[in-house]
Amino acid sequence: MKLEKVSLEMRDLETAIRKHQYFYYLENSPKIKDKEFDILFQKLKKLEEKYPDLISESSPTKLVGSDLSSSGDFAKFKHKIPVLSLENTYNLDELMEWVNKTGLDENYSVEWKIDGASIVLYYNQGILTNAVTRGSGGVGDDVTDNIKTIESIPHKLSSKINLYVRGEVFMNFSDFDDFNEEYGGRFANPRNLTAGSIKHKYASEVAKRPLRLFVYDAFFPDGRGKIVTNSLALQKLKDFKLPLAPDSIIVSGSKLSKTVESFRKKKDSMGFPIDGLVIKLDDLRKRDALGETSHSPRWARAYKFDALIQETTIEEIIPQVGRTGKITPRARVKPVKLAGTTVTYATLHNQDYINELGVGIGAKVRISKRGEIIPAVEEVVEPGLQGIFQLPKKCPSCKSILSKVDESVDLFCTNKNCPERERHSILFFCQKKQMDIDGLGVKQIDLFYDKGWVRNIGDLYDLHTKKDQIETLEGFGAKSVKIILEGIEKSKNKDLRILLPSIGLHELGHKVVEILIENGYTSIESLLDLVKKPDAAEELNSIHGIGPRTAQAIVTQLNDKTIQKLINKLMNSGLNFRAAESEKSDHRPFEGQAWCVTGSFDRFQPRDTAMDLIVKHGGRKVTSVSSKTTHLLYGEGAGSKLDKAKELGLQIINESEFLNILSKENILID
Ligand code: IVH
């Protein structure tokens, strides 16, 4: 009887929380105070802790920590306009050839080509009724509730007009970095996180993500009247308070090369992902006269920056299993020279990307290096005969069923003992950014793994017992074995700051470990003692910068017998599970202040070097802007943190002001 009552109370709380999330995020009109909402939320959480058997699958408390699939099943929406793509050009000559053909004296708009996710907003009688992904171009997913959580999008226009608007949802680099750090660095890039976020099952979760939108195209289904150019159409969108992308300008075709150059120079300072420019004829009647192909308009071209491009053919698509279990489809291509190296593999990111390109084995494709190391398949020149590639349902390494974790775009193998995951965990541990062990790359680790000598990172520290055997292997000599074994030995001295993130536990990345150390957990023993306590998760969650998801992940993993066994093994091997005291100065002008940092800086790279100075001289470093923060140090590309700091009236300091403070205080930059 009692249990039944509790269960009813929990269901009521869930309903109430969902209702208020709806009012808050979707209607933009909260019906209760934040504090009251928190009370409801905490009440449900307490009951869930006490009665775990009664937790509902779709509990709103699970939205943060849920490892279940979060990709929504969205209603399909048939687009009312053809949602076309763009034809690409890869150098100025190619672009100018098109301009010459289209009209050198015509006016063209030059706009940033933002690398996010395409969206169409449908306003009926001035009300935003549908927000739809591009999908196949004909039919997309209706993601209205999710898109409505983006702050800058008006839900209602000042006139009862029918209007369709195209735009790009994206994320600022600094917002992405902050968010990704909080989630243990699991997202590959802002584009992926954006695509995943707009297809998330729960709008309340989407609301927490720093999504933004820029619009670039308008359709007036009832006729465009006096709007005869794209610039006038964009002005109309601006009047309706829709967010236009910055910098778009109109130039004559003859001035295009110069304009493209000045955009190119500015690109890296924009703070959001840009993969080129879009050049469009401004005169709408001339656009109509040129028309479009089934794929793209004849009146516009994309111009890709520095994209070193090659055509080749896909010979095979191999799903690769990463350390976290994430499956990345890699295309093996007919070898081609690209930017000085011979490329044999290019990434296809995920199934969504494959579908968008319509790519499969045998396809003739263009691959590029976009300033990144791994080349990507950019577009399909001729589709192969085998149709669009489908990722398998089972892990190619251990055959366990793949599932979607957290985000809709990626598939994961969740088997912790998957051989491929184990191999990648060992590789991750040895990387330069982690334990920095020389001489251990893919080849060596694969070999030692296959021999059964190194099956996990703990085994690395027994590798010396195999010294003689390794020396007899092909490709190894006394010298290379010495380098490896010395590297392993040297790694034993690495600090907890490096060691703990290198183990590769969920949510325990560099940032979280740093916060734990700052809060007194300076040894593995102190953490293992903590997680034994019944209220460990709560205690961790009360630390500023550690959310409930992270807190729970730490408790669960550090109580896991396999993980404890690994830690023990590493301890017995003599690894250093302690953090050295950070250097403190007697000169403490920042005493009593709590500083947060956002954006990127000229003189402080990584930006934490600025924070180290603040901490050394008495200040406290915090990871998010709240009423407890006193100062925000902001750099290029600062995002939502800057807005929030302004809202809260905090002291806002830019790089040159900070340099002034340092020089006034006689603090030297190392
Ligand atoms: S115009 C018919 N303008 O790039 C008009 N697209 O590769 C076609 N994109 O699907 C699109 N910034 O998602 C246009 N300023 C911009 C853009 C832009 C980003 C994206 C958009 C489109 C894709 C085509």
Side-chain angles (χ1 to χ4, degrees), residues 31-46:
K31 302 275 183 274
I32 54 174
K33 293 206 179 80
D34 285 3
K35 250 224 165 97
E36 291 170 307
F37 179 84
D38 282 347
I39 292 172
L40 289 177
F41 201 84
Q42 290 309 329
K43 210 165 159 185
L44 178 60
K45 258 185 64 184
K46 283 250 159 69

Side-chain angles (χ1 to χ4, degrees), residues 72-79 130 132-133 135 139-142 199:
D73 279 330
F74 297 99
K76 296 287 168 215
F77 185 96
K78 192 169 177 315
H79 283 294
N130 304 86
V132 186
T133 64
V139 177
D141 285 323
D142 188 322
K199 287 200 182 172

Side-chain angles (χ1 to χ4, degrees), residues 461-513:
Y461 296 92
D462 295 333
L463 196 61
H464 60 92
T465 62
K466 302 282 184 297
K467 181 169 175 280
D468 296 342
Q469 279 153 284
I470 304 172
E471 278 178 10
T472 61
L473 294 177
E474 209 188 300
F476 289 86
K479 205 167 150 200
S480 58
V481 176
K482 191 166 169 253
I483 292 177
I484 294 174
L485 294 179
E486 275 178 6
I488 293 174
E489 194 55 33
K490 216 171 76 196
S491 73
K492 291 183 179 172
N493 299 324
K494 294 263 176 198
D495 197 79
L496 185 70
R497 283 184 178 81
I498 304 281
L499 174 56
L500 197 47
S502 302
I503 294 177
L505 302 179
H506 270 306
E507 308 285 333
L508 266 169
H510 288 281
K511 181 173 155 187
V512 168
V513 169

Side-chain angles (χ1 to χ4, degrees), residues 404-464:
K404 284 188 172 174
V405 177
D406 267 342
E407 291 309 316
S408 62
V409 279
D410 297 313
L411 275 175
F412 283 81
C413 165
T414 50
N415 170 15
K416 275 191 219 139
N417 301 318
C418 169
E420 217 31 44
R421 286 186 65 179
E422 285 180 334
R423 269 194 248 256
H424 277 99
S425 305
I426 303 165
L427 253 174
F428 175 78
F429 184 81
C430 298
Q431 268 174 20
K432 204 155 196 64
K433 259 172 98 180
Q434 310 297 338
M435 298 296 274
D436 192 15
I437 303 178
D438 275 346
L440 280 178
V442 183
K443 263 195 204 142
Q444 293 79 7
I445 288 172
D446 279 359
L447 194 65
F448 299 156
Y449 189 93
D450 291 341
K451 294 251 175 238
W453 297 340
V454 180
R455 282 286 155 98
N456 60 49
I457 53 186
D459 293 343
L460 284 170
Y461 296 92
D462 295 333
L463 196 61
H464 60 92

Side-chain angles (χ1 to χ4, degrees), residues 85-97:
S85 187
L86 288 166
E87 193 161 318
N88 291 321
T89 57
Y90 295 101
N91 56 55
L92 259 182
D93 287 348
E94 228 183 299
L95 177 71
M96 288 317 290
E97 199 181 304

Side-chain angles (χ1 to χ4, degrees), residues 203-253:
S204 54
E205 176 60 24
V206 183
K208 292 183 199 143
R209 310 208 165 179
L211 295 176
R212 290 169 192 254
L213 170 87
F214 284 143
V215 298
Y216 53 73
D217 211 359
F219 299 82
F220 302 90
D222 302 328
R224 59 187 186 224
K226 289 191 195 126
I227 300 170
V228 291
T229 63
N230 187 51
S231 356
L232 288 169
L234 292 184
Q235 183 55 48
K236 193 93 192 152
L237 296 185
K238 196 171 169 200
D239 295 344
F240 283 137
K241 304 222 161 20
L242 279 148
L244 300 187
D247 301 335
S248 306
I249 56 162
I250 303 289
V251 290
S252 146

Side-chain angles (χ1 to χ4, degrees), residues 84-86 111-114 118 166 168 216 278 280 297:
L84 299 173
S85 187
L86 288 166
E111 308 167 8
W112 293 119
K113 186 171 187 301
I114 302 143
S118 202
R166 281 195 67 177
E168 194 84 353
Y216 53 73
V278 187
K280 300 170 183 165

